[in-house]
């Protein structure tokens, strides 16, 4: 079936659109960033087990996409690679900020569970989430 999908990728427009969106979303993922977020999980055994699964699926997805597109995604889809490289440094800074804000939010909300959604710490966190989504070009 996979070979049939590959051989008909230009004829089946809706399929091509879907798999192109998958490849674009995949290009937005970065293992280094994912690992930094994983450090928010305090239970090391849980973190390691789940992050290992995420890594395996990430690698499997890369393999399948590269097979489908006929080579490394940065070569087969250079415009997307260029786009993400242009945003990488700024997005990295935003991710670092968001991770610090999430740690802070968790600490505050654990100590004060009665905090409302209007708490002064929530709005900056939501703005940071929005900035990352804007930088990626979507909210997927």
């Amino acid at each position: 079936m996979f070979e049939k999908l590959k051989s008909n990728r230009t004829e089946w427009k809706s399929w091509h659109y879907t798999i192109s969106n998958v490849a674009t979303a995949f290009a937005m993922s970065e293992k280094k960033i994912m690992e930094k977020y994983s450090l928010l999980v305090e239970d090391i055994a849980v973190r390691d087990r789940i992050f290992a699964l995420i890594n395996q699926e990430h690698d499997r997805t890369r393999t399948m996409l590269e097979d489908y597109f006929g080579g490394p995604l940065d070569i087969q889809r250079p415009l997307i690679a260029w786009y993400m490289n242009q945003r990488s440094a700024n997005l990295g800074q935003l991710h670092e900020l968001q991770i610090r804000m999430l740690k802070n939010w968790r600490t505050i909300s654990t100590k004060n569970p009665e905090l409302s959604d209007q708490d002064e710490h929530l709005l900056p966190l939501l703005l940071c989430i929005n900035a990352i989504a804007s930088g990626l070009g979507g909210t997927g």
Side-chain angles (χ1 to χ4, degrees):
M1 181 64 172
F2 185 68
E3 292 303 319
K4 187 173 185 175
L5 291 171
K6 282 183 2 181
S7 66
N8 289 302
R9 71 173 157 243
T10 56
E11 287 80 30
W12 296 346
K13 301 299 181 196
S14 60
W15 168 248
H16 180 72
Y17 175 79
T18 301
I19 199 69
S20 293
N21 282 341
V22 168
T24 299
F26 182 83
M28 293 179 189
S29 67
E30 291 185 49
K31 279 190 174 185
K32 291 177 191 174
I33 299 294
M34 291 188 290
E35 184 174 14
K36 290 178 182 181
Y37 279 101
S38 78
L39 296 175
L40 290 168
V41 179
E42 294 177 358
D43 185 319
I44 295 170
V46 170
R47 175 180 63 218
D48 290 349
R49 188 180 80 240
I50 292 173
F51 192 64
L53 291 171
I54 291 169
N55 269 326
Q56 289 170 0
E57 288 302 317
H58 190 269
D59 292 343
R60 188 182 340 219
T61 302
R62 176 181 298 284
T63 299
M64 295 300 290
L65 287 170
E66 288 181 348
D67 183 13
Y68 181 83
F69 283 99
L73 293 176
D74 58 339
I75 294 170
Q76 299 301 317
R77 306 189 78 229
L79 185 59
I80 299 299
W82 177 85
Y83 174 81
M84 291 313 299
N85 282 337
Q86 296 300 307
R87 288 159 174 73
S88 184
N90 291 331
L91 283 171
Q93 291 175 10
L94 285 171
H95 283 294
E96 294 286 343
L97 175 62
Q98 181 170 280
I99 289 167
R100 286 193 310 272
M101 294 171 90
L102 283 168
K103 284 180 187 177
N104 187 39
W105 173 252
R106 286 180 174 184
T107 300
I108 291 168
S109 61
T110 300
K111 290 179 182 177
N112 303 301
E114 71 281 349
L115 288 176
S116 73
D117 289 346
Q118 302 304 317
D119 181 69
E120 65 189 57
H121 300 279
L122 183 59
L123 181 58
L125 177 57
L126 294 174
L127 290 172
C128 190
I129 291 168
N130 189 46
I132 291 171
S134 294
L136 290 170
T139 58

